């Protein structure tokens, strides 16, 4: 524990989240003296424009290059625009429109926005094939349910990210699309055979590997054929990824998620992940515990993992060679990013993004204009912790000056009524609630922000995202009562060019 060389190797595989809108002193020391690989930025780290610029300069102007990550997917998942909702289309919107040039342009704009706040690793694209309509954590974050569609759009988005000067970290290997549990809260199991996993969920990752994606994030999901450990901690899972030809950085999903924290613990999980073949350990978003978080939760989470790794080196259970291998891959990524120069200056202009959001909308049933102000009855459940919620903006935009009711609120007897849902792709409480509302208010309209399913008993506007740009598009459709004209969709073939 007292060997600075070993402490530097340990620091070189750690990727913590922190509190505050500047680098806390304790983490500044780890960056300056402890070899810390970098940081992961979350919404709470991003203040006003001046604070963002200051943080970005501080992260860039250091004696050695860092890897700085951010979850910036467009659609439902944004850190840069968490206060108002993303103004970029998400994966499900892009998959529905199926325009690879647009997906590449969105990738470039995601990278541009990430780089502007100091992050050089964009935790995207989502390469999960969303085959379970009950999926609470992926859903519209996926390009779709078809492996070929997901593969070609994941490659296009990764290419856009690279051309803008950042690194793409595709996620969540070996696929989180066929689960009905959220690994932020529980341990999901892929209840499919290896043949189905190989046929449906691995092809997008193979395509990304073949195209040269530099980083891949693992999922905290159990594949029974590979044993009881989740993929993040499982040598069989990461070994399968390496046999696919991947030589880049394997990043773990956050070790504070319940799937790891409540099974083996973050410290032991960190040791197991490295032994399984992971390189960079994403530690935590210290705000995830909510009111239960300690004022120094970021330091506690970091120290728990750091001490566990040092202790494992001391007792011989974690060979130094494992640390050297992992830290070397992370360092090589950091150095490549320091040398990277943007090859694509322009991303996605607002009018183009708005046109894509319009084109991603589909309508079931006969939709008459819904005048404003409207009452919005929001029957959605809680968002996954992956989402920095823009719920209030979405509701307010649809209401257009009217009331917003939530949950089990009584159904108003009169006036324009919009029911906001996001889990109607399969049978369940939201579909049941809508059926009851339809009996009381057959004039109501549903806005579905999730993955579409069978037609509902009410006219339905499918937005395929709960973002700011999707809300604006849906509000326009409600006002007009007609589906927006879709721009021509280009024919596109999968590409193997380097992302």
């Amino acid at each position: 524990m007292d060997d600075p060389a070993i402490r530097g190797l340990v620091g070189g595989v750690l990727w913590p989240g922190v509190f505050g809108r500047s680098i806390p002193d304790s983490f500044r020391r780890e960056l300056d003296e402890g070899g810390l690989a970098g940081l992961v930025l979350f919404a709470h780290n991003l203040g006003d424009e001046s604070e963002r610029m200051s943080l970005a300069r501080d992260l860039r102007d250091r004696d050695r290059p860092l890897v700085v990550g951010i979850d910036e997917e467009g659609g439902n998942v944004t850190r840069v625009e968490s206060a108002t909702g993303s103004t970029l289309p998400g994966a499900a919107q892009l998959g529905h429109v199926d325009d690879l040039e647009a997906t590449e342009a969105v990738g470039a704009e995601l990278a541009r926005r990430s780089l502007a706040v100091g992050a050089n690793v964009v935790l995207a694209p989502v390469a999960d094939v969303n085959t379970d309509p009950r999926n609470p954590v992926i859903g519209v974050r996926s390009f779709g349910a078809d492996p070929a569609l997901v593969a070609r759009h994941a490659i296009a988005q990764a290419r856009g990210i690279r051309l803008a000067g950042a690194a793409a970290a595709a996620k969540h290997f070996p696929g989180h699309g066929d689960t009905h549990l959220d690994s932020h809260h529980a341990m999901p199991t892929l209840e499919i055979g290896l043949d189905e996993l190989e046929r449906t969920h691995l092809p997008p990752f193979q395509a990304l590997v073949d195209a040269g994606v530099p980083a891949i994030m693992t999922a905290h999901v159990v594949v029974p054929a590979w044993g009881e450990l989740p993929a993040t901690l499982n040598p069989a899972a990461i070994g399968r990824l390496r046999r696919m030809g991947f030589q880049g950085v394997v990043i773990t999903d956050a070790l504070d998620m319940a799937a790891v924290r409540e099974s083996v613990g973050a410290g032991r999980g960190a040791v197991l992940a490295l032994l399984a073949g992971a390189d960079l350990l994403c530690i935590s978003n210290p705000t995830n515990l909510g009111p239960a978080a300690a004022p120094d939760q970021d330091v506690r989470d970091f120290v728990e993992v750091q001490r566990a790794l040092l202790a494992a080196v001391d007792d011989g259970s974690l060979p130094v060679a494992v640390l050297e291998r992992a830290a070397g891959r992370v360092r090589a990524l950091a150095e490549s990013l320091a040398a990277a120069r943007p090859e694509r200056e322009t991303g996605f202009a607002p009018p183009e993004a708005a046109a894509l959001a319009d084109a991603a909308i589909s309508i079931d049933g006969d939709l008459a204009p819904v005048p404003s102000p409207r009452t919005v009855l929001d029957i959605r459940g809680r968002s996954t912790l992956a989402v920095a919620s823009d719920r209030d903006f979405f509701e307010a935009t649809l209401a257009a000056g009217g009331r917003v009711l939530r949950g089990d609120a009584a159904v108003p007897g009169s006036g324009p009524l919009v029911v906001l849902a996001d889990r109607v792709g399969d049978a369940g409480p939201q579909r049941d609630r809508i059926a009851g509302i339809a009996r009381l208010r057959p004039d109501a309209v549903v806005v579905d922000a999730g993955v579409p399913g069978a037609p509902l008993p009410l006219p339905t506007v499918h937005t395929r995202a709960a973002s700011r740009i999707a809300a604006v598009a849906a509000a326009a459709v409600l006002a007009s009562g007609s589906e927006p004209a879709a721009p021509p969709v280009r024919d596109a073939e999968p590409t193997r060019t380097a992302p």
Side-chain angles (χ1 to χ4, degrees), residues 172-176 188-203 205-206 216-244 250 276:
H172 307 79
F173 184 85
H176 210 314
T189 296
L190 287 179
E191 297 172 353
I192 56 175
L194 271 182
D195 56 341
E196 176 67 14
L197 180 71
E198 295 277 351
R199 182 171 59 251
T200 302
H201 298 279
L202 295 190
F205 292 100
Q206 183 67 70
I216 290 179
M217 175 175 276
T218 59
H220 303 328
V221 298
V222 173
V223 178
W226 290 343
E228 297 181 353
L229 289 173
T232 297
L233 316 180
N234 195 319
I238 298 179
R240 179 68 183 90
L241 177 58
R242 294 299 186 192
R243 288 195 303 278
M244 292 164 70
V250 175

Side-chain angles (χ1 to χ4, degrees), residues 136-188:
V137 66
I138 302 301
V140 295
R141 297 171 64 198
S142 166
F143 291 107
D146 174 60
L149 175 93
V150 172
R152 65 178 179 260
H153 281 276
I155 289 173
Q157 190 168 89
R159 185 170 57 249
I161 291 169
R162 178 188 64 81
L163 290 173
K171 57 192 182 186
H172 307 79
F173 184 85
H176 210 314
D178 202 337
T179 64
H180 60 274
L181 293 176
D182 184 345
S183 50
H184 292 86
H185 305 293
M187 181 79 82

Side-chain angles (χ1 to χ4, degrees), residues 6 135 184 191 375 393 441 447:
I6 299 300
N135 198 318
H184 292 86
E191 297 172 353
T375 296
F393 183 91
R441 292 291 307 273
V447 171

Side-chain angles (χ1 to χ4, degrees), residues 37-224:
L39 301 174
V40 183
L41 301 182
F42 294 94
H44 62 269
N45 301 126
L46 305 179
D48 60 28
E49 190 64 24
S50 174
E51 290 171 316
R52 292 180 180 206
M53 291 176 64
S54 177
L55 176 62
R57 282 194 302 269
D58 204 4
L59 289 167
R60 283 193 290 261
D61 297 343
R62 311 205 69 76
D63 292 337
R64 60 182 175 84
L66 306 179
V67 286
V68 181
I70 192 167
D71 279 300
E72 197 65 28
E73 300 172 12
N76 287 20
V77 177
T78 176
R79 305 296 181 243
V80 174
E81 296 185 293
S82 64
T84 58
S86 180
T87 55
L88 288 175
Q93 293 169 294
L94 293 168
H96 180 73
V97 176
D98 199 11
D99 179 338
L100 293 187
E101 290 184 15
T103 300
E104 179 181 315
V106 169
E109 181 62 11
L110 290 171
R112 186 194 68 78
R113 296 181 182 193
S114 299
L115 288 164
V117 298
N120 54 11
V121 178
V122 183
L123 298 176
V126 173
D128 303 305
V129 181
N130 195 72
T131 54
D132 190 335
R134 302 168 296 171
N135 198 318
V137 66
I138 302 301
V140 295
R141 297 171 64 198
S142 166
F143 291 107
D146 174 60
L149 175 93
V150 172
R152 65 178 179 260
H153 281 276
I155 289 173
Q157 190 168 89
R159 185 170 57 249
I161 291 169
R162 178 188 64 81
L163 290 173
K171 57 192 182 186
H172 307 79
F173 184 85
H176 210 314
D178 202 337
T179 64
H180 60 274
L181 293 176
D182 184 345
S183 50
H184 292 86
H185 305 293
M187 181 79 82
T189 296
L190 287 179
E191 297 172 353
I192 56 175
L194 271 182
D195 56 341
E196 176 67 14
L197 180 71
E198 295 277 351
R199 182 171 59 251
T200 302
H201 298 279
L202 295 190
F205 292 100
Q206 183 67 70
L208 285 158
V209 170
D210 292 346
V213 72
I216 290 179
M217 175 175 276
T218 59
H220 303 328
V221 298
V222 173
V223 178

Side-chain angles (χ1 to χ4, degrees), residues 11-28:
V13 302
L14 298 182
W15 220 25
V18 300
F19 283 134
R21 295 177 178 178
S22 61
I23 303 174
D25 288 343
S26 56
F27 289 94
R28 188 179 298 278

Side-chain angles (χ1 to χ4, degrees), residues 150-487:
V150 172
R152 65 178 179 260
H153 281 276
I155 289 173
Q157 190 168 89
R159 185 170 57 249
I161 291 169
R162 178 188 64 81
L163 290 173
K171 57 192 182 186
H172 307 79
F173 184 85
H176 210 314
D178 202 337
T179 64
H180 60 274
L181 293 176
D182 184 345
S183 50
H184 292 86
H185 305 293
M187 181 79 82
T189 296
L190 287 179
E191 297 172 353
I192 56 175
L194 271 182
D195 56 341
E196 176 67 14
L197 180 71
E198 295 277 351
R199 182 171 59 251
T200 302
H201 298 279
L202 295 190
F205 292 100
Q206 183 67 70
L208 285 158
V209 170
D210 292 346
V213 72
I216 290 179
M217 175 175 276
T218 59
H220 303 328
V221 298
V222 173
V223 178
W226 290 343
E228 297 181 353
L229 289 173
T232 297
L233 316 180
N234 195 319
I238 298 179
R240 179 68 183 90
L241 177 58
R242 294 299 186 192
R243 288 195 303 278
M244 292 164 70
F246 183 62
Q247 298 300 316
V249 175
V250 175
I251 304 173
T252 71
D253 211 342
L255 298 175
D256 71 328
M257 292 164 62
V260 172
R261 186 186 67 245
E262 296 180 5
S263 57
V264 300
R268 178 61 179 160
V271 175
L272 291 174
L274 288 172
L275 291 173
D279 302 306
L280 185 56
L281 306 176
C282 181
I283 296 177
S284 71
N285 176 352
T287 68
N288 277 353
L289 292 177
D296 61 344
Q297 191 67 50
D298 53 351
V299 175
R300 294 186 187 198
D301 292 344
F302 174 77
V303 169
E304 177 186 0
V305 171
Q306 182 190 50
R307 287 180 176 172
L309 297 184
L310 291 168
V313 173
D314 272 354
D315 68 22
S317 61
L318 178 61
V320 172
V322 171
L323 282 173
E324 290 174 333
R325 175 216 70 210
R329 285 200 182 106
V330 176
R331 185 168 55 253
L333 176 61
E335 291 170 352
S336 71
L337 287 168
R341 296 295 179 267
E343 300 175 45
R344 176 174 183 151
E345 297 295 339
T346 58
F348 218 58
E352 296 173 291
L356 262 183
D358 290 344
I361 284 181
S362 60
I363 297 173
D364 292 338
D366 297 324
L367 179 66
V370 184
S372 57
R374 312 175 186 101
T375 296
V376 172
L377 176 56
D378 189 347
I379 64 171
R380 296 177 296 169
R382 68 176 179 178
S383 297
T384 171
L385 289 174
V387 176
S389 179
D390 51 17
R391 167 180 293 197
D392 291 344
F393 183 91
F394 201 84
E395 296 168 334
T397 302
L398 297 181
R403 293 186 300 163
V404 173
L405 307 175
R406 298 188 180 96
D408 296 327
V411 178
S414 61
L417 177 61
V418 175
V419 182
L420 179 54
D422 65 355
R423 200 76 59 79
V424 297
D426 198 16
Q430 290 189 22
R431 291 188 73 94
D432 294 343
R433 184 81 192 282
I434 290 168
I437 292 170
R439 289 191 289 270
L440 296 172
R441 292 291 307 273
D443 60 327
V445 171
V446 175
V447 171
D448 167 31
V451 176
L456 294 161
L458 292 170
T460 304
V461 178
H462 299 287
T463 64
R464 296 174 171 83
S467 61
R468 176 182 179 183
I469 198 170
V472 171
V477 170
L478 292 175
S480 67
S482 61
E483 188 167 2

